[in-house]
Amino acid sequence: MVSTEKALDIILNETCLGGIEDKNILDSLDRVVSEHIYSKDSLPPFNKAAMDGYALRSEDTLEASVDKPIEFNIIGTAKAGGSLEKVLHSGEAVKIMTGAPVPESADTIIEIENVESDGEHVFVKEAVKPYRNIIEKGEEVKAGDIAIFSGSLIRPVEVGILASLGYNKISVYKAPVIALIVTGDELVNIEAKIETGKIRNSNEYFLKAIMKNEGFEFISFGIVQDNKEVIKQKILVAMEIADIVVTSGGASKGDYDFVEDILVELGADIKFDSVAIKPGKPISFATIKDKLIFSLPGNPLAAITTFQEFIVPAGKKFMGKKSSVDIFPVILSDDYICKKGRKKYIYVNIQKVNGVYYGHKIKWQGSSGLVPISRANGIVIIPEGKEYVKSGEILNGYFIWK
Amino acid sequence: MVSTEKALDIILNETCLGGIEDKNILDSLDRVVSEHIYSKDSLPPFNKAAMDGYALRSEDTLEASVDKPIEFNIIGTAKAGGSLEKVLHSGEAVKIMTGAPVPESADTIIEIENVESDGEHVFVKEAVKPYRNIIEKGEEVKAGDIAIFSGSLIRPVEVGILASLGYNKISVYKAPVIALIVTGDELVNIEAKIETGKIRNSNEYFLKAIMKNEGFEFISFGIVQDNKEVIKQKILVAMEIADIVVTSGGASKGDYDFVEDILVELGADIKFDSVAIKPGKPISFATIKDKLIFSLPGNPLAAITTFQEFIVPAGKKFMGKKSSVDIFPVILSDDYICKKGRKKYIYVNIQKVNGVYYGHKIKWQGSSGLVPISRANGIVIIPEGKEYVKSGEILNGYFIWK
C-alpha cells in the first residue's frame, strides 16, 4: 500500500505528453497549444481611434479654452474600415469614428461629446494632449512577437487573439483516449429491473461524465462479463485503441477478481496495487509499454473518488495541462470518527461565511452510495494518522465538480 | 447610464427560465433538472456486502478470541450478482464477495484478512458486531424518496445516481439559443490579409468560445455589413430563431452606428443604453416581446468584458443555473490611476501566497486589445468613485475563464 502522494507521483512519472494535432481555433478551446504563436502582424495594424471624435493636430489646440474656443475646418470623415488619404493642415480636423485609422498628419483625437460643431466646423475648448484616444500601431502586439506562449491553455481570450492574428488552426496536445471496462456480474443495464443481487451499472455513466467534463475522449466496452478470458481480451483490444485503460470492479481480493492476474499474464509492470485512501484502497496502477492501466474498485463512491484523484491528473498531464486543485482551510462543523492508516476523503457541504469556509457533514457516507454525496460540493481530508476530528478543527479542503 | 448592479438587475428581471426538454443522462451534464427525480427502488436493493469476507451470525462469535477461535462450516459462496438461497444455522458461514447480497439468516461479515480458513472451515478470533461490513437495504435511498431535487445541477455524481435509479432520460431546462450579429466595415474574415483600416473579426470567435464553455447554443451571422437595412433584416431573422440576440459593434455614438435606431423602429423596449462600466460603457439592453437584445461595443476588450458580466448571467438564469461568482479580497501589487464615474474592471494576474491573494498588473491595458489580457487570470474592480488605488490596497476580485 502506497500513500496518496506516492501514488500520484508514480502515476505522473509514467504519464507522458500526448501527441499533437491540429484543431480549428474554436475546437482548441480548453486545450494546450504545443508551440509558440507568433504575431504575423502588428496589432492594431494602424494608429486607431479609441473614441468617436475629431482627429487633429495637438499643437493647434495649445491656446484653446472655454472662453476662447479654437475653430477647425472639418475636411472629411474617417470611418472604421476605411482609409482616408487626406492630409491635415493647421486648423483642420477630420471627423473620426471609433476603430477608424487616424490620418498620419493628426496626432490626437478629442471626444465628440467635448466639442461643439455646426457640421462644417468644430470648436475645441481645451488643449488636447498628443495621442489622446489613439491606440498606437503595434501597441497590443508587434509583428514577430510571441502572442501566445507554447504550453498556454486556450481560453476564450486566446481564441480571440488567434482570430485577430489570422490563425484558423493551431497545433495542440491531444486529449487522451480512455477505454472503460466495467466488470461485475452484479451489474445490469440502466434500463433493466433490478432482481435480487443485481444493481444498475452507474460507474460507466459517472466516469463518462467526468471524462466529458475534462475533455477526455472515451470508449466504453459496456458491462463486461466477470470472466477472466473475456476481460483479458477486452483489455488487449483496449490497449490497441486507447492511451489509458480503466477497469472498474474486480480490483479487490475476492475470488472473482481477475484483473490483477490478467495484468501479470500480460507482462504488466504493476506499480502499486493499493493506496492508503478511503474510499478507494484497492485501486491499482500498471503500465504495459506506453499504456497506462488503472483498476478501480467497483463500488461507486470509491470509483468516483479514485478516478478524480488519480486518473484525472494523469489525463490532464497527457494534455499538457496543469492539475492544480485550489486547497483551502475548512473549519469542521461536526465530529468525525474514523480509522488510522489511510487518508480519509470526506465529502462535505462547504459554505463560505464572511470569507471563512465551513464544512458541514452530509447525512450518510458509506463506501458505496452516490445519493448522499450528491448533497456535497467539496471534500475535506482527514490525515492518515488521525482517528477522530472534532467540530471546530481545521482541515484542508477543496471544491469538487465545479 | 445605469450602474452595473442596476443593469444586471434589469437584465435578470427580464430573463425567464427557458423551456424544458428531455436529454439523455450524459447530455444532461451541466444542465439543471426541471422536476424532482424520485427513486423507483431502494438502494442498495438488498443488504449488501461491503467487503470480501464471511457472512455469519454475530451471536455465534460472542465468545471468540485469539486464544479460542471459533470454527464455522463454510456452506457456500455468495458472489456479486448472484442470489444465494441457503439458510445459515448456528456455526455456519457463507463466503461472500464485495457487492454480493447477504443471506437473510446472516447479520454480519468478517473481513477475509481477519480470519483463517482451510477452505471448508473458517476460524474467527474475535467477537463481530452486528451489521459490520453490511450496507443495509435502502441505506442510500428508499423507494419513493426524492433522489435529486428539482433545480439541481447535474454533475457527474448525479449522472451516476440517475443511472443507478434506472433513468436514461430526464427533463432539463433548455440552453438559450443566442444569435450573434457582428457588424463593422473595418472587419475582415480571419483568414484575410489586413489592409489599411481593417482588422480581423475576433469578436465572433471569443464570444462563441465563451458560449461554448457555458453550454449555450449559438448561431452566428458572420460579419454583417454596417448598413441599417441589412442589420435590421438580420435582427428580424435572429428574433425568429433565437432567444437572445447579441450585436457587436455599432453601439457607440458614431454616425455609422445604427443598432439603436433599428431597435426603436422595431418597437423595442430599450431598458438602458449605457452602463457605468469601463471597459464597456456603450452596452445596451432591450426587449422585443420575450426576446432579449443586447448591443455590445465593438472593441474586443469591452465586448468580452460586458458579455461575461451581463449576458452570461442571463444565459445561466435561462438554464435555471445560479450565477454566483466567488469574489474574494485581492491585495494590489501596483498603483492604478483612473477616472471617476464608472466601475473599472482591471484585468490582473492573481497569485495566492500563503492563503492571501495578490493582484499583479499586466503590461498594458487599453480598451481594445486582447493580447495583454491573455496574461491575466482574474479581475479586480475599482469602485466608481475612486480616481486612484495604491499598491497594498485591497479590492474585490475574482478569477476569470476558469
mmCIF file of all heavy atoms in Angstrom, chain A residues 41 52 79 81 95 139-140 155 164 166 168 190-191 198 200 254-256 364 370-371 374 376, chain B residues 41 52 79 81 95 139-140 155 164 166 168 190-191 198 200 254 256 364 370-371 374 376:
data_model
loop_
_atom_site.group_PDB
_atom_site.id
_atom_site.type_symbol
_atom_site.label_atom_id
_atom_site.label_comp_id
_atom_site.label_asym_id
_atom_site.label_seq_id
_atom_site.Cartn_x
_atom_site.Cartn_y
_atom_site.Cartn_z
ATOM 1 N N ASP A 41 1.318 40.049 -37.688
ATOM 2 C CA ASP A 41 1.039 41.467 -37.928
ATOM 3 C C ASP A 41 1.268 42.248 -36.638
ATOM 4 O O ASP A 41 1.323 41.672 -35.566
ATOM 5 C CB ASP A 41 -0.433 41.664 -38.324
ATOM 6 C CG ASP A 41 -0.840 40.779 -39.472
ATOM 7 O OD1 ASP A 41 -0.369 41.036 -40.593
ATOM 8 O OD2 ASP A 41 -1.598 39.815 -39.246
ATOM 9 N N ASP A 52 -15.190 57.949 -30.706
ATOM 10 C CA ASP A 52 -15.745 58.818 -31.749
ATOM 11 C C ASP A 52 -15.340 60.256 -31.425
ATOM 12 O O ASP A 52 -15.448 60.682 -30.267
ATOM 13 C CB ASP A 52 -17.278 58.750 -31.752
ATOM 14 C CG ASP A 52 -17.792 57.381 -32.177
ATOM 15 O OD1 ASP A 52 -17.031 56.629 -32.817
ATOM 16 O OD2 ASP A 52 -18.959 57.087 -31.867
ATOM 17 N N LYS A 79 -13.977 56.681 -41.360
ATOM 18 C CA LYS A 79 -14.863 55.653 -40.805
ATOM 19 C C LYS A 79 -14.046 54.407 -40.478
ATOM 20 O O LYS A 79 -13.035 54.124 -41.117
ATOM 21 C CB LYS A 79 -15.923 55.258 -41.842
ATOM 22 C CG LYS A 79 -16.653 56.410 -42.466
ATOM 23 C CD LYS A 79 -17.511 55.905 -43.627
ATOM 24 C CE LYS A 79 -18.027 57.058 -44.454
ATOM 25 N NZ LYS A 79 -18.750 56.596 -45.651
ATOM 26 N N GLY A 81 -12.893 50.909 -40.919
ATOM 27 C CA GLY A 81 -12.850 50.095 -42.116
ATOM 28 C C GLY A 81 -12.402 50.849 -43.350
ATOM 29 O O GLY A 81 -12.050 50.256 -44.358
ATOM 30 N N LYS A 95 -13.410 64.366 -38.886
ATOM 31 C CA LYS A 95 -14.362 63.645 -38.027
ATOM 32 C C LYS A 95 -13.978 62.162 -38.073
ATOM 33 O O LYS A 95 -13.715 61.611 -39.145
ATOM 34 C CB LYS A 95 -15.783 63.849 -38.533
ATOM 35 C CG LYS A 95 -16.825 63.303 -37.577
ATOM 36 C CD LYS A 95 -18.230 63.730 -37.969
ATOM 37 C CE LYS A 95 -19.217 63.213 -36.944
ATOM 38 N NZ LYS A 95 -20.602 63.504 -37.358
ATOM 39 N N GLU A 139 0.706 48.605 -30.475
ATOM 40 C CA GLU A 139 0.651 48.778 -29.016
ATOM 41 C C GLU A 139 0.254 47.467 -28.340
ATOM 42 O O GLU A 139 0.708 47.155 -27.234
ATOM 43 C CB GLU A 139 -0.363 49.888 -28.700
ATOM 44 C CG GLU A 139 -0.332 50.380 -27.263
ATOM 45 C CD GLU A 139 -1.187 51.642 -27.078
ATOM 46 O OE1 GLU A 139 -0.946 52.647 -27.795
ATOM 47 O OE2 GLU A 139 -2.074 51.625 -26.225
ATOM 48 N N GLU A 140 -0.606 46.705 -28.976
ATOM 49 C CA GLU A 140 -1.056 45.439 -28.389
ATOM 50 C C GLU A 140 -0.007 44.348 -28.602
ATOM 51 O O GLU A 140 0.370 43.651 -27.668
ATOM 52 C CB GLU A 140 -2.384 45.048 -29.049
ATOM 53 C CG GLU A 140 -3.016 43.832 -28.424
ATOM 54 C CD GLU A 140 -4.251 43.373 -29.186
ATOM 55 O OE1 GLU A 140 -4.795 44.162 -29.994
ATOM 56 O OE2 GLU A 140 -4.656 42.232 -28.986
ATOM 57 N N ARG A 155 -8.080 29.712 -23.782
ATOM 58 C CA ARG A 155 -9.323 30.173 -23.153
ATOM 59 C C ARG A 155 -10.058 31.051 -24.187
ATOM 60 O O ARG A 155 -9.535 31.282 -25.284
ATOM 61 C CB ARG A 155 -8.974 30.977 -21.898
ATOM 62 C CG ARG A 155 -8.096 30.202 -20.904
ATOM 63 C CD ARG A 155 -7.548 31.101 -19.805
ATOM 64 N NE ARG A 155 -6.730 32.180 -20.336
ATOM 65 C CZ ARG A 155 -6.271 33.204 -19.627
ATOM 66 N NH1 ARG A 155 -6.539 33.287 -18.338
ATOM 67 N NH2 ARG A 155 -5.534 34.141 -20.195
ATOM 68 N N SER A 164 -7.727 37.252 -34.278
ATOM 69 C CA SER A 164 -7.252 38.591 -34.656
ATOM 70 C C SER A 164 -5.905 38.512 -35.369
ATOM 71 O O SER A 164 -5.553 39.413 -36.131
ATOM 72 C CB SER A 164 -7.184 39.502 -33.428
ATOM 73 O OG SER A 164 -6.135 39.109 -32.578
ATOM 74 N N GLY A 166 -5.146 36.015 -37.428
ATOM 75 C CA GLY A 166 -5.323 35.323 -38.697
ATOM 76 C C GLY A 166 -5.068 33.828 -38.645
ATOM 77 O O GLY A 166 -4.891 33.190 -39.679
ATOM 78 N N ASN A 168 -6.533 30.185 -38.209
ATOM 79 C CA ASN A 168 -7.793 29.466 -38.073
ATOM 80 C C ASN A 168 -7.591 28.050 -37.547
ATOM 81 O O ASN A 168 -8.528 27.407 -37.112
ATOM 82 C CB ASN A 168 -8.608 29.467 -39.371
ATOM 83 C CG ASN A 168 -7.927 28.709 -40.473
ATOM 84 O OD1 ASN A 168 -6.766 28.289 -40.323
ATOM 85 N ND2 ASN A 168 -8.614 28.528 -41.578
ATOM 86 N N ILE A 190 -28.815 0.045 -17.341
ATOM 87 C CA ILE A 190 -29.555 1.029 -16.534
ATOM 88 C C ILE A 190 -31.060 0.969 -16.769
ATOM 89 O O ILE A 190 -31.832 1.459 -15.965
ATOM 90 C CB ILE A 190 -29.047 2.474 -16.747
ATOM 91 C CG1 ILE A 190 -29.262 2.980 -18.175
ATOM 92 C CG2 ILE A 190 -27.609 2.594 -16.346
ATOM 93 C CD1 ILE A 190 -29.018 4.472 -18.284
ATOM 94 N N GLU A 191 -31.490 0.359 -17.887
ATOM 95 C CA GLU A 191 -32.927 0.295 -18.128
ATOM 96 C C GLU A 191 -33.562 -0.978 -17.567
ATOM 97 O O GLU A 191 -34.784 -1.122 -17.586
ATOM 98 C CB GLU A 191 -33.202 0.423 -19.630
ATOM 99 C CG GLU A 191 -32.894 1.833 -20.106
ATOM 100 C CD GLU A 191 -32.865 1.946 -21.620
ATOM 101 O OE1 GLU A 191 -33.830 1.506 -22.252
ATOM 102 O OE2 GLU A 191 -31.879 2.495 -22.150
ATOM 103 N N LYS A 198 -28.716 -7.836 -7.952
ATOM 104 C CA LYS A 198 -28.270 -7.004 -9.083
ATOM 105 C C LYS A 198 -28.309 -5.525 -8.714
ATOM 106 O O LYS A 198 -29.153 -5.088 -7.926
ATOM 107 C CB LYS A 198 -29.191 -7.222 -10.298
ATOM 108 C CG LYS A 198 -29.309 -8.675 -10.741
ATOM 109 C CD LYS A 198 -28.007 -9.217 -11.270
ATOM 110 C CE LYS A 198 -28.182 -10.655 -11.788
ATOM 111 N NZ LYS A 198 -26.896 -11.271 -12.154
ATOM 112 N N ARG A 200 -27.731 -1.546 -10.891
ATOM 113 C CA ARG A 200 -27.537 -0.994 -12.234
ATOM 114 C C ARG A 200 -26.127 -0.435 -12.373
ATOM 115 O O ARG A 200 -25.488 -0.023 -11.408
ATOM 116 C CB ARG A 200 -28.586 0.088 -12.506
ATOM 117 C CG ARG A 200 -29.994 -0.468 -12.541
ATOM 118 C CD ARG A 200 -30.982 0.556 -13.055
ATOM 119 N NE ARG A 200 -32.358 0.072 -12.883
ATOM 120 C CZ ARG A 200 -33.110 0.318 -11.819
ATOM 121 N NH1 ARG A 200 -32.629 1.058 -10.835
ATOM 122 N NH2 ARG A 200 -34.332 -0.166 -11.752
ATOM 123 N N GLY A 254 -11.372 -10.570 -3.723
ATOM 124 C CA GLY A 254 -12.306 -11.692 -3.834
ATOM 125 C C GLY A 254 -11.907 -12.710 -4.891
ATOM 126 O O GLY A 254 -11.097 -12.425 -5.778
ATOM 127 N N ASP A 255 -12.520 -13.874 -4.814
ATOM 128 C CA ASP A 255 -12.214 -14.966 -5.736
ATOM 129 C C ASP A 255 -12.508 -14.599 -7.184
ATOM 130 O O ASP A 255 -11.956 -15.186 -8.100
ATOM 131 C CB ASP A 255 -13.070 -16.186 -5.403
ATOM 132 C CG ASP A 255 -12.493 -16.956 -4.235
ATOM 133 O OD1 ASP A 255 -11.468 -16.504 -3.670
ATOM 134 O OD2 ASP A 255 -13.043 -18.003 -3.895
ATOM 135 N N TYR A 256 -13.428 -13.647 -7.401
ATOM 136 C CA TYR A 256 -13.890 -13.392 -8.755
ATOM 137 C C TYR A 256 -13.234 -12.161 -9.357
ATOM 138 O O TYR A 256 -13.732 -11.577 -10.278
ATOM 139 C CB TYR A 256 -15.416 -13.316 -8.762
ATOM 140 C CG TYR A 256 -15.983 -14.625 -8.296
ATOM 141 C CD1 TYR A 256 -16.217 -14.863 -6.947
ATOM 142 C CD2 TYR A 256 -16.172 -15.662 -9.199
ATOM 143 C CE1 TYR A 256 -16.662 -16.092 -6.509
ATOM 144 C CE2 TYR A 256 -16.619 -16.900 -8.764
ATOM 145 C CZ TYR A 256 -16.858 -17.124 -7.422
ATOM 146 O OH TYR A 256 -17.282 -18.350 -6.994
ATOM 147 N N TRP A 364 -25.133 10.754 5.299
ATOM 148 C CA TRP A 364 -24.614 9.408 5.453
ATOM 149 C C TRP A 364 -23.507 9.213 4.440
ATOM 150 O O TRP A 364 -23.570 9.745 3.344
ATOM 151 C CB TRP A 364 -25.726 8.391 5.190
ATOM 152 C CG TRP A 364 -25.226 6.983 5.129
ATOM 153 C CD1 TRP A 364 -25.012 6.135 6.176
ATOM 154 C CD2 TRP A 364 -24.862 6.266 3.957
ATOM 155 N NE1 TRP A 364 -24.538 4.947 5.722
ATOM 156 C CE2 TRP A 364 -24.429 4.983 4.365
ATOM 157 C CE3 TRP A 364 -24.835 6.575 2.597
ATOM 158 C CZ2 TRP A 364 -23.989 4.020 3.462
ATOM 159 C CZ3 TRP A 364 -24.404 5.611 1.707
ATOM 160 C CH2 TRP A 364 -23.992 4.338 2.148
ATOM 161 N N LEU A 370 -24.055 6.866 -3.998
ATOM 162 C CA LEU A 370 -23.804 8.183 -4.564
ATOM 163 C C LEU A 370 -24.816 9.225 -4.090
ATOM 164 O O LEU A 370 -24.525 10.416 -4.082
ATOM 165 C CB LEU A 370 -23.857 8.122 -6.086
ATOM 166 C CG LEU A 370 -22.778 7.284 -6.776
ATOM 167 C CD1 LEU A 370 -23.035 7.267 -8.272
ATOM 168 C CD2 LEU A 370 -21.385 7.830 -6.490
ATOM 169 N N VAL A 371 -26.038 8.779 -3.721
ATOM 170 C CA VAL A 371 -27.070 9.753 -3.377
ATOM 171 C C VAL A 371 -26.618 10.689 -2.251
ATOM 172 O O VAL A 371 -26.721 11.904 -2.386
ATOM 173 C CB VAL A 371 -28.418 9.066 -3.036
ATOM 174 C CG1 VAL A 371 -29.427 10.105 -2.539
ATOM 175 C CG2 VAL A 371 -28.972 8.350 -4.272
ATOM 176 N N SER A 374 -24.261 13.447 -3.315
ATOM 177 C CA SER A 374 -24.788 14.492 -4.198
ATOM 178 C C SER A 374 -25.213 15.715 -3.386
ATOM 179 O O SER A 374 -25.484 16.770 -3.949
ATOM 180 C CB SER A 374 -25.947 13.965 -5.043
ATOM 181 O OG SER A 374 -27.130 13.932 -4.294
ATOM 182 N N ALA A 376 -23.101 17.003 -1.416
ATOM 183 C CA ALA A 376 -21.787 17.614 -1.126
ATOM 184 C C ALA A 376 -21.324 18.473 -2.292
ATOM 185 O O ALA A 376 -21.713 18.264 -3.436
ATOM 186 C CB ALA A 376 -20.755 16.520 -0.856
ATOM 187 N N ASP B 41 -36.569 2.629 -6.723
ATOM 188 C CA ASP B 41 -36.123 1.458 -5.971
ATOM 189 C C ASP B 41 -35.468 1.913 -4.673
ATOM 190 O O ASP B 41 -35.102 3.076 -4.532
ATOM 191 C CB ASP B 41 -35.067 0.670 -6.767
ATOM 192 C CG ASP B 41 -35.543 0.330 -8.164
ATOM 193 O OD1 ASP B 41 -36.433 -0.512 -8.278
ATOM 194 O OD2 ASP B 41 -35.015 0.937 -9.128
ATOM 195 N N ASP B 52 -15.003 -8.230 1.012
ATOM 196 C CA ASP B 52 -14.866 -9.679 0.847
ATOM 197 C C ASP B 52 -14.694 -10.283 2.242
ATOM 198 O O ASP B 52 -13.911 -9.763 3.051
ATOM 199 C CB ASP B 52 -13.617 -10.007 0.025
ATOM 200 C CG ASP B 52 -13.759 -9.525 -1.418
ATOM 201 O OD1 ASP B 52 -14.894 -9.305 -1.864
ATOM 202 O OD2 ASP B 52 -12.710 -9.372 -2.083
ATOM 203 N N LYS B 79 -21.733 -14.661 -4.421
ATOM 204 C CA LYS B 79 -20.984 -13.809 -5.346
ATOM 205 C C LYS B 79 -21.797 -12.559 -5.651
ATOM 206 O O LYS B 79 -23.031 -12.591 -5.619
ATOM 207 C CB LYS B 79 -20.744 -14.545 -6.666
ATOM 208 C CG LYS B 79 -20.179 -15.927 -6.527
ATOM 209 C CD LYS B 79 -20.205 -16.627 -7.893
ATOM 210 C CE LYS B 79 -19.929 -18.118 -7.722
ATOM 211 N NZ LYS B 79 -20.062 -18.858 -8.992
ATOM 212 N N GLY B 81 -23.829 -10.284 -7.750
ATOM 213 C CA GLY B 81 -24.675 -10.593 -8.891
ATOM 214 C C GLY B 81 -25.484 -11.855 -8.718
ATOM 215 O O GLY B 81 -26.427 -12.102 -9.450
ATOM 216 N N LYS B 95 -19.049 -17.829 2.522
ATOM 217 C CA LYS B 95 -18.014 -16.971 1.942
ATOM 218 C C LYS B 95 -18.716 -15.936 1.062
ATOM 219 O O LYS B 95 -19.614 -16.291 0.285
ATOM 220 C CB LYS B 95 -17.048 -17.809 1.106
ATOM 221 C CG LYS B 95 -15.842 -17.034 0.654
ATOM 222 C CD LYS B 95 -14.791 -17.949 0.028
ATOM 223 C CE LYS B 95 -13.553 -17.141 -0.313
ATOM 224 N NZ LYS B 95 -12.551 -17.971 -0.997
ATOM 225 N N GLU B 139 -30.326 1.975 2.578
ATOM 226 C CA GLU B 139 -29.491 2.886 3.375
ATOM 227 C C GLU B 139 -29.148 4.141 2.566
ATOM 228 O O GLU B 139 -29.059 5.240 3.103
ATOM 229 C CB GLU B 139 -28.212 2.148 3.785
ATOM 230 C CG GLU B 139 -27.399 2.850 4.855
ATOM 231 C CD GLU B 139 -26.283 1.959 5.411
ATOM 232 O OE1 GLU B 139 -26.593 0.862 5.922
ATOM 233 O OE2 GLU B 139 -25.109 2.360 5.324
ATOM 234 N N GLU B 140 -28.935 3.991 1.259
ATOM 235 C CA GLU B 140 -28.583 5.130 0.417
ATOM 236 C C GLU B 140 -29.834 5.944 0.062
ATOM 237 O O GLU B 140 -29.847 7.167 0.206
ATOM 238 C CB GLU B 140 -27.925 4.600 -0.865
ATOM 239 C CG GLU B 140 -27.387 5.690 -1.754
ATOM 240 C CD GLU B 140 -26.864 5.129 -3.078
ATOM 241 O OE1 GLU B 140 -26.629 3.908 -3.182
ATOM 242 O OE2 GLU B 140 -26.704 5.927 -3.996
ATOM 243 N N ARG B 155 -24.304 17.046 -12.153
ATOM 244 C CA ARG B 155 -22.843 16.878 -12.153
ATOM 245 C C ARG B 155 -22.556 15.390 -12.392
ATOM 246 O O ARG B 155 -23.492 14.590 -12.497
ATOM 247 C CB ARG B 155 -22.301 17.339 -10.798
ATOM 248 C CG ARG B 155 -22.717 18.768 -10.428
ATOM 249 C CD ARG B 155 -22.363 19.102 -8.978
ATOM 250 N NE ARG B 155 -23.060 18.215 -8.056
ATOM 251 C CZ ARG B 155 -22.833 18.161 -6.757
ATOM 252 N NH1 ARG B 155 -21.916 18.946 -6.197
ATOM 253 N NH2 ARG B 155 -23.497 17.330 -5.973
ATOM 254 N N SER B 164 -28.050 4.680 -11.675
ATOM 255 C CA SER B 164 -28.313 3.655 -10.654
ATOM 256 C C SER B 164 -29.804 3.517 -10.376
ATOM 257 O O SER B 164 -30.262 2.470 -9.927
ATOM 258 C CB SER B 164 -27.535 3.946 -9.369
ATOM 259 O OG SER B 164 -28.065 5.068 -8.697
ATOM 260 N N GLY B 166 -32.082 3.862 -12.768
ATOM 261 C CA GLY B 166 -32.757 3.365 -13.955
ATOM 262 C C GLY B 166 -33.315 4.446 -14.864
ATOM 263 O O GLY B 166 -34.150 4.164 -15.723
ATOM 264 N N ASN B 168 -32.767 6.798 -17.999
ATOM 265 C CA ASN B 168 -31.829 7.059 -19.093
ATOM 266 C C ASN B 168 -32.075 8.419 -19.738
ATOM 267 O O ASN B 168 -31.245 8.920 -20.474
ATOM 268 C CB ASN B 168 -31.814 5.926 -20.122
ATOM 269 C CG ASN B 168 -33.125 5.803 -20.853
ATOM 270 O OD1 ASN B 168 -34.115 6.441 -20.489
ATOM 271 N ND2 ASN B 168 -33.140 4.983 -21.884
ATOM 272 N N ILE B 190 -11.130 36.059 -40.702
ATOM 273 C CA ILE B 190 -9.867 35.800 -40.003
ATOM 274 C C ILE B 190 -8.766 35.307 -40.921
ATOM 275 O O ILE B 190 -7.596 35.379 -40.578
ATOM 276 C CB ILE B 190 -10.032 34.829 -38.817
ATOM 277 C CG1 ILE B 190 -10.458 33.434 -39.255
ATOM 278 C CG2 ILE B 190 -10.975 35.390 -37.789
ATOM 279 C CD1 ILE B 190 -10.351 32.412 -38.114
ATOM 280 N N GLU B 191 -9.133 34.805 -42.088
ATOM 281 C CA GLU B 191 -8.075 34.310 -42.979
ATOM 282 C C GLU B 191 -7.576 35.386 -43.939
ATOM 283 O O GLU B 191 -6.620 35.162 -44.685
ATOM 284 C CB GLU B 191 -8.571 33.093 -43.749
ATOM 285 C CG GLU B 191 -8.706 31.892 -42.829
ATOM 286 C CD GLU B 191 -9.483 30.749 -43.444
ATOM 287 O OE1 GLU B 191 -9.140 30.347 -44.560
ATOM 288 O OE2 GLU B 191 -10.430 30.259 -42.811
ATOM 289 N N LYS B 198 -8.365 47.953 -41.743
ATOM 290 C CA LYS B 198 -9.095 46.713 -41.472
ATOM 291 C C LYS B 198 -8.514 45.987 -40.256
ATOM 292 O O LYS B 198 -7.309 46.064 -39.988
ATOM 293 C CB LYS B 198 -9.016 45.770 -42.677
ATOM 294 C CG LYS B 198 -9.489 46.399 -43.982
ATOM 295 C CD LYS B 198 -10.972 46.682 -43.973
ATOM 296 C CE LYS B 198 -11.440 47.193 -45.335
ATOM 297 N NZ LYS B 198 -12.831 47.676 -45.308
ATOM 298 N N ARG B 200 -9.120 41.975 -38.173
ATOM 299 C CA ARG B 200 -9.829 40.707 -38.330
ATOM 300 C C ARG B 200 -10.935 40.585 -37.285
ATOM 301 O O ARG B 200 -10.870 41.155 -36.203
ATOM 302 C CB ARG B 200 -8.847 39.537 -38.224
ATOM 303 C CG ARG B 200 -7.821 39.530 -39.350
ATOM 304 C CD ARG B 200 -7.038 38.232 -39.386
ATOM 305 N NE ARG B 200 -5.936 38.337 -40.346
ATOM 306 C CZ ARG B 200 -4.713 38.752 -40.022
ATOM 307 N NH1 ARG B 200 -4.425 39.066 -38.771
ATOM 308 N NH2 ARG B 200 -3.776 38.833 -40.948
ATOM 309 N N GLY B 254 -21.186 57.001 -32.852
ATOM 310 C CA GLY B 254 -20.738 57.415 -34.182
ATOM 311 C C GLY B 254 -21.864 57.430 -35.217
ATOM 312 O O GLY B 254 -22.921 56.836 -35.021
ATOM 313 N N TYR B 256 -22.115 55.957 -37.904
ATOM 314 C CA TYR B 256 -22.357 54.714 -38.615
ATOM 315 C C TYR B 256 -22.925 53.640 -37.703
ATOM 316 O O TYR B 256 -22.869 52.473 -38.003
ATOM 317 C CB TYR B 256 -21.074 54.271 -39.328
ATOM 318 C CG TYR B 256 -20.681 55.316 -40.327
ATOM 319 C CD1 TYR B 256 -19.871 56.388 -39.974
ATOM 320 C CD2 TYR B 256 -21.235 55.286 -41.612
ATOM 321 C CE1 TYR B 256 -19.571 57.387 -40.878
ATOM 322 C CE2 TYR B 256 -20.949 56.298 -42.517
ATOM 323 C CZ TYR B 256 -20.121 57.344 -42.152
ATOM 324 O OH TYR B 256 -19.851 58.342 -43.043
ATOM 325 N N TRP B 364 -0.102 46.109 -20.276
ATOM 326 C CA TRP B 364 -0.775 47.239 -20.890
ATOM 327 C C TRP B 364 -2.243 46.917 -20.975
ATOM 328 O O TRP B 364 -2.630 45.779 -21.164
ATOM 329 C CB TRP B 364 -0.219 47.456 -22.294
ATOM 330 C CG TRP B 364 -1.011 48.451 -23.091
ATOM 331 C CD1 TRP B 364 -0.862 49.808 -23.087
ATOM 332 C CD2 TRP B 364 -2.085 48.166 -23.998
ATOM 333 N NE1 TRP B 364 -1.772 50.381 -23.928
ATOM 334 C CE2 TRP B 364 -2.532 49.406 -24.504
ATOM 335 C CE3 TRP B 364 -2.706 46.999 -24.429
ATOM 336 C CZ2 TRP B 364 -3.582 49.505 -25.417
ATOM 337 C CZ3 TRP B 364 -3.747 47.094 -25.335
ATOM 338 C CH2 TRP B 364 -4.171 48.339 -25.830
ATOM 339 N N LEU B 370 -6.631 42.284 -26.962
ATOM 340 C CA LEU B 370 -6.795 41.073 -26.175
ATOM 341 C C LEU B 370 -5.470 40.480 -25.719
ATOM 342 O O LEU B 370 -5.424 39.764 -24.721
ATOM 343 C CB LEU B 370 -7.543 40.019 -27.003
ATOM 344 C CG LEU B 370 -8.986 40.325 -27.378
ATOM 345 C CD1 LEU B 370 -9.535 39.201 -28.241
ATOM 346 C CD2 LEU B 370 -9.858 40.516 -26.153
ATOM 347 N N VAL B 371 -4.388 40.738 -26.483
ATOM 348 C CA VAL B 371 -3.122 40.081 -26.151
ATOM 349 C C VAL B 371 -2.687 40.386 -24.711
ATOM 350 O O VAL B 371 -2.361 39.471 -23.962
ATOM 351 C CB VAL B 371 -2.005 40.451 -27.156
ATOM 352 C CG1 VAL B 371 -0.663 39.879 -26.698
ATOM 353 C CG2 VAL B 371 -2.354 39.922 -28.549
ATOM 354 N N SER B 374 -4.505 38.389 -22.054
ATOM 355 C CA SER B 374 -4.273 36.942 -22.002
ATOM 356 C C SER B 374 -3.211 36.613 -20.953
ATOM 357 O O SER B 374 -3.012 35.450 -20.617
ATOM 358 C CB SER B 374 -3.858 36.396 -23.366
ATOM 359 O OG SER B 374 -2.518 36.660 -23.632
ATOM 360 N N ALA B 376 -3.643 37.691 -18.001
ATOM 361 C CA ALA B 376 -4.424 37.811 -16.770
ATOM 362 C C ALA B 376 -5.190 36.524 -16.482
ATOM 363 O O ALA B 376 -5.504 35.761 -17.390
ATOM 364 C CB ALA B 376 -5.411 38.972 -16.891
#
